[in-house]
Amino acid sequence: MAVLINFKICDNAKECGGIAVCPTGALSYNDEKESIVIDNDKCISCGRCESECPIGAIMVARTDEEYDKLKEEIDNDTRTTKDLFVDRYGATPLSEFFMIESVDIENKVNNDGITLIELYNDDSIQCLLKSIAIKDLTKDLPKDTLFYKAEATDNILEKYNVNELPSLLVFKKGKILGNIDGYYTVDEKEKLLSELDEILQK
Ligand code: SF4
């Protein structure tokens, strides 16, 4: 009958899994509009796209009632893609408190403990359900370990030798010990933890 996308939380990526599995072309990416577009005349409500979306942004309605209900649900959704990003490493939402400006990094890491700073840019935003929870990332670290996120600038990338975003910068007592570049999924948790451990042994 119809497919709906909650664009309030959808990251509108060309690589959308829903587009990839749609057998009829009802979902496609329009380069001009830089957006996923829906052609409901082609949708057969097979539901394949729905199960591809890890954040539940794609919904398939099989009746008019269902369509109205889902539409209302989307209209009333107060979340944004930014909310999902803020959650990126967290099973529970992290507050805005964790978001800092890259110019503030030096001030934030200037303490006696460990501080993790995640650098990101818009292209490095990944879905919440595929990422590693911050509580897991820091489970073996001291309780006073701090964690912040900052949008990367060219200066910062150069300063900390970052090759790929997102990048996790690891500081101890104000000094950079190292960084882990690139996106890690839950399957790679152990690898990420062992890299982090190696950096902290320095
Ligand atoms: S429900 Fe099926 S036909 Fe409709 S958009 Fe999703 S994958 Fe395509």
Side-chain angles (χ1 to χ4, degrees):
M1 201 246 138
V3 60
L4 300 91
I5 295 183
N6 183 350
F7 282 105
K8 290 178 176 172
I9 55 168
C10 170
D11 64 355
N12 221 338
K14 218 177 201 170
E15 302 75 25
C16 166
I19 297 176
V21 298
C22 179
T24 66
L27 288 181
S28 61
Y29 190 85
N30 185 306
D31 284 318
E32 220 167 274
K33 291 183 183 160
E34 296 187 338
S35 174
I36 297 171
V37 289
I38 298 172
D39 180 350
N40 269 326
D41 288 341
K42 292 183 180 168
C43 179
I44 53 171
S45 296
C46 65
R48 291 188 202 175
C49 54
E50 199 172 31
S51 40
E52 277 302 308
C53 181
I55 55 163
I58 305 179
M59 293 175 251
V60 177
R62 288 168 182 86
T63 61
D64 286 341
E65 291 72 39
E66 220 177 350
Y67 181 89
D68 291 343
K69 191 169 158 263
L70 292 173
K71 173 124 189 358
E72 193 183 338
E73 210 176 280
I74 293 172
D75 289 344
N76 293 333
D77 192 348
T78 54
R79 293 174 300 166
T80 66
T81 45
K82 197 171 161 212
D83 290 323
L84 291 188
F85 182 54
V86 171
D87 288 353
R88 192 169 132 19
Y89 279 128
T92 53
L94 298 174
S95 92
E96 285 287 316
F97 172 77
F98 294 92
M99 310 296 286
I100 60 167
E101 299 289 329
S102 61
V103 289
D104 292 330
I105 291 178
E106 276 186 32
N107 287 338
K108 294 290 184 187
V109 302
N110 197 9
N111 57 62
D112 286 337
I114 296 168
T115 309
L116 303 177
I117 306 268
E118 187 193 24
L119 292 177
Y120 68 91
N121 66 2
D122 279 348
D123 294 339
S124 69
I125 293 177
Q126 300 282 342
C127 294
L128 161 69
L129 297 183
K130 289 183 181 169
S131 64
I132 296 158
I134 183 66
K135 66 177 172 41
D136 290 342
L137 189 68
T138 55
K139 75 179 168 48
D140 295 327
L141 301 185
K143 280 198 170 23
D144 59 354
T145 299
L146 296 171
F147 178 83
Y148 297 103
K149 291 165 183 287
E151 193 158 3
T153 59
D154 289 346
N155 283 349
I156 291 293
L157 296 182
E158 198 178 326
K159 181 169 179 183
Y160 295 112
N161 237 339
V162 173
N163 296 310
E164 193 188 345
L165 291 172
S167 178
L168 192 69
L169 307 182
V170 184
F171 293 86
K172 195 171 181 182
K173 296 187 175 174
K175 291 210 171 70
I176 180 93
L177 297 183
N179 47 297
I180 304 172
D181 294 350
Y183 175 64
Y184 282 78
T185 63
V186 279
D187 302 346
E188 296 161 307
K189 191 167 86 183
E190 293 313 316
K191 189 175 162 211
L192 178 61
L193 288 177
S194 101
E195 281 196 42
L196 186 57
D197 189 47
E198 238 173 73
I199 289 176
L200 286 166
Q201 300 302 323
K202 288 181 186 171

